[in-house]
Amino acid sequence: MTAQNRGTRITKLLGQIKKHFKPVNVPKERSLIEHLIFACLLENSSHEAAEGAFERLKTEYFDWNEVRVSTKRELAETLKALNDPESAAERLKRALHSVFESVYVYDLEHLKKQNLGQATKTIEKYEGTSPFTVAFVTQNALGGHAIPANQGLLTAFRVFDIISQKEADAWHIPGLERAVPKSKGVEMGTILHQLGVEVGKNPYGQSAKKLLQAIDPDCKSRLPKKPAPEPEPAKPKKKKKVAKKKVAGDAKPTKKKKVKKAPAPAAPAPTKKAKKKVKKKVAKKASSTAGKKKAAPTKKKKKVKRKPR
């Protein structure tokens, strides 16, 4: 897409976006450090929620140093009205810590005396800052012309086919500042931020899809799609157990199984003639044994001779 075509398309889309959102007033009396803190809260939440969280920080904590040394969990509880309290608490703690380590005070008014480019580079070096916070401070505290863009707005402009995925990954919307006059920068910045918050809350939800299609009816084929769930890792195959070879001497003696003998076949029943023969034999044996007993000689007692007295 050429720069001219991109600029024309951005201008057309900005006119459609204005129909859905109204500009928000941003307090200008805040110091530079306060604008930086507010930007950390505002990035993915509405102006109303960010203003409420900012006031809670000022009333519930003694100073910004107490905020810096508080735990992330404590800050997230204070910032629970935001869409991303944990992320906002992380950005805020890191930014305050980086500022304190660089100048040992919570005062950045000296940056206003530097030229815009030098001051912007200094803010970019602070940990916890993002392209959104840098652009917000540049626009509202340093008087520069920059449009703050969060991840939701980058997603919307990707769907509108204004930027490529590579440009979205680089957090860059070419031609946006040229399409918006500097005098309308703050106003248009708040309107675009509201679009980014609505899309960023759930890019795959029906409300975000309806809003994007209402602004650009031709974007249906480019609407965000849920990424496919990652396949579960394959379970490792169980190793087969290899039978160990038995070494001579290690083998245990095996018990011999008792083999049951088959019963002998039953003898055939004796006939009548066989029975008579058996009876005769038994009778003969009985008579012979009786005769022998009678005929057995008896032993005579030996006479004992008495000796003469």
Side-chain angles (χ1 to χ4, degrees):
M1 182 183 293
T2 62
Q4 185 177 359
N5 291 339
R6 193 196 299 264
T8 303
R9 182 153 174 74
I10 290 175
T11 303
K12 183 179 177 181
L13 285 170
L14 292 179
Q16 293 296 321
I17 295 169
K18 285 182 181 180
K19 296 178 182 179
H20 298 272
F21 302 101
K22 295 179 179 180
V24 179
N25 291 325
V26 179
K28 295 185 178 181
E29 68 277 2
R30 288 174 179 159
S31 63
L32 198 152
I33 186 68
E34 287 177 332
H35 278 298
L36 176 61
I37 291 168
F38 184 75
C40 292
L41 308 178
L42 178 67
E43 184 162 330
N44 295 313
S45 299
S46 66
H47 281 80
E48 184 180 0
E51 289 287 353
F54 185 76
E55 291 303 320
R56 287 191 69 181
L57 288 174
K58 291 178 70 176
T59 56
E60 295 184 14
Y61 293 86
F62 179 74
D63 56 12
W64 297 125
N65 191 63
E66 187 181 357
V67 174
R68 177 182 70 89
V69 298
S70 298
T71 64
K72 182 180 174 182
R73 182 179 295 181
E74 290 171 345
L75 284 177
E77 181 62 26
T78 305
L79 308 176
K80 61 184 178 181
L82 303 178
N83 289 335
D84 60 341
E86 291 82 9
S87 300
E90 177 71 19
R91 288 193 297 270
L92 180 57
K93 272 183 65 67
R94 292 179 63 194
L96 288 174
H97 188 73
S98 186
V99 169
F100 182 76
E101 284 194 335
S102 63
V103 293
Y104 302 104
V105 289
Y106 299 102
D107 186 358
L108 297 176
E109 294 305 300
H110 63 279
L111 295 180
K112 292 181 179 179
K113 298 177 182 179
Q114 300 176 0
N115 63 62
L116 183 61
Q118 188 178 357
T120 302
K121 287 181 180 179
T122 301
I123 297 170
E124 287 175 348
K125 291 178 182 179
Y126 293 144
E127 293 183 8
T129 59
S130 66
F132 175 88
T133 55
V134 174
F136 184 88
V137 173
T138 300
Q139 183 188 64
N140 293 279
L142 297 175
H145 183 40
I147 305 298
N150 58 12
Q151 285 292 341
L153 186 64
L154 293 170
T155 301
F157 273 64
R158 179 76 184 91
V159 173
F160 296 150
D161 200 24
I162 299 295
I163 59 174
S164 63
Q165 186 59 52
K166 186 177 180 180
E167 290 167 333
D169 294 338
W171 214 312
H172 182 49
I173 304 176
L176 182 58
E177 280 81 10
R178 288 195 298 272
V180 179
K182 185 179 179 181
S183 59
K184 297 289 184 180
V186 176
E187 176 185 323
M188 200 65 223
T190 61
I191 290 174
L192 290 174
H193 177 70
Q194 293 175 69
L195 171 62
V197 171
E198 289 301 314
V199 175
K201 282 191 293 188
N202 184 8
Y204 314 109
Q206 289 300 317
S207 59
K209 290 180 178 179
K210 287 180 181 179
L211 175 61
L212 292 171
Q213 285 184 283
I215 295 170
D216 182 12
D218 299 330
C219 73
K220 186 176 181 180
S221 61
R222 298 185 297 272
L223 290 172
K225 296 178 182 179
K226 278 188 177 182
E230 294 182 2
E232 294 182 2
K235 294 181 180 179
K237 294 182 179 180
K238 292 183 178 180
K239 294 181 179 180
K240 294 181 179 180
K241 292 183 179 180
V242 181
K244 294 182 179 180
K245 293 182 179 180
K246 293 182 179 180
V247 183
D250 292 343
K252 293 181 180 179
T254 55
K255 292 182 179 180
K256 292 183 178 180
K257 293 182 179 180
K258 292 182 179 180
V259 180
K260 292 183 179 180
K261 292 182 179 180
T271 59
K272 288 182 179 181
K273 287 183 179 181
K275 285 180 180 180
K276 286 181 180 181
K277 286 182 179 180
V278 171
K279 284 181 179 179
K280 285 180 180 181
K281 285 181 179 181
V282 172
K284 283 181 180 181
K285 283 184 179 180
S287 61
S288 63
T289 51
K292 284 180 180 180
K293 285 180 181 179
K294 290 179 181 179
T298 56
K299 291 183 179 180
K300 293 181 179 181
K301 292 182 181 180
K302 291 182 178 181
K303 291 181 180 181
V304 180
K305 293 182 178 181
R306 294 179 181 179
K307 293 180 180 181
R309 292 179 181 178

